Amino acid sequence: MTKKYQGSCLCQAVQFEVEGEFEHFFLCHCQYCQKDTGSAHAANLFSSTAKLVWHHGQEQLTRFQLPDTRHVRSFCRVCGSALPTLEGKLLAVPAGSLDIAIDVKPNAHLFDSSRASWCEELNQLPTFDTFPQ
């Protein structure tokens, strides 16, 4: 049975489905991904066999490629949320764009030499279920 993953952007203008398996789940710490996400790393799932189906709002999709690089980002032009990118046969899906829990765990950290210095020992910080009072 083929797995299906539902996804969308924050404003729900774009909705999609991925049919198939993910071969890799990478956390990328390169400086491009840090700029893209405004965070320590990007979390992307990759597949060379899965099928991407746009259910709604594909016209809201914007694609940006950093000149003279392979770095590509797709996002919703309404809310700016990261969305899947198809480059040839390689599908890259931002893990946070999926609406359902996934059973795939990250395989590796990429470009670890670019890891943000403030990213060390984050697991030792206090945790809260909501915004702290």
Side-chain angles (χ1 to χ4, degrees):
M1 181 173 198
T2 303
K3 289 190 178 182
K4 294 185 178 183
Y5 302 91
Q6 305 296 320
S8 62
C9 64
L10 182 61
C11 72
Q12 298 295 306
V14 181
Q15 297 173 7
F16 64 91
E17 180 176 79
V18 175
E19 298 176 10
E21 300 289 334
F22 294 110
E23 289 108 30
H24 301 287
F25 185 178
F26 294 136
L27 304 178
C28 184
H29 295 269
C30 79
Q31 292 176 339
Y32 301 150
C33 286
Q34 289 177 29
K35 290 286 187 184
D36 274 351
T37 64
S39 188
H41 60 77
N44 290 304
L45 298 146
F46 294 90
S47 179
S48 60
T49 59
K51 180 180 175 188
L52 174 63
V53 178
W54 297 104
H55 287 299
H56 180 72
Q58 187 177 3
E59 69 279 1
Q60 300 302 334
L61 189 70
T62 298
R63 182 181 179 280
F64 171 78
Q65 180 164 4
L66 190 61
D68 302 321
T69 73
R70 292 177 30 201
H71 189 79
V72 176
R73 179 176 187 264
S74 294
F75 57 95
C76 172
R77 74 177 66 200
V78 177
C79 67
S81 297
L83 291 167
T85 300
L86 187 59
E87 289 295 311
K89 291 185 177 185
L90 185 62
L91 175 64
V93 179
S97 70
L98 296 177
D99 295 332
I100 60 172
I102 57 173
D103 57 1
V104 181
K105 303 291 184 213
N107 309 79
H109 293 271
L110 305 180
F111 296 95
D112 198 55
S113 61
S114 298
R115 184 184 291 233
S117 61
W118 51 268
C119 188
E120 301 299 322
E121 302 177 13
L122 292 179
N123 60 345
Q124 297 177 15
L125 295 174
T127 60
F128 301 91
D129 289 336
T130 62
F131 198 83
Q133 299 298 318

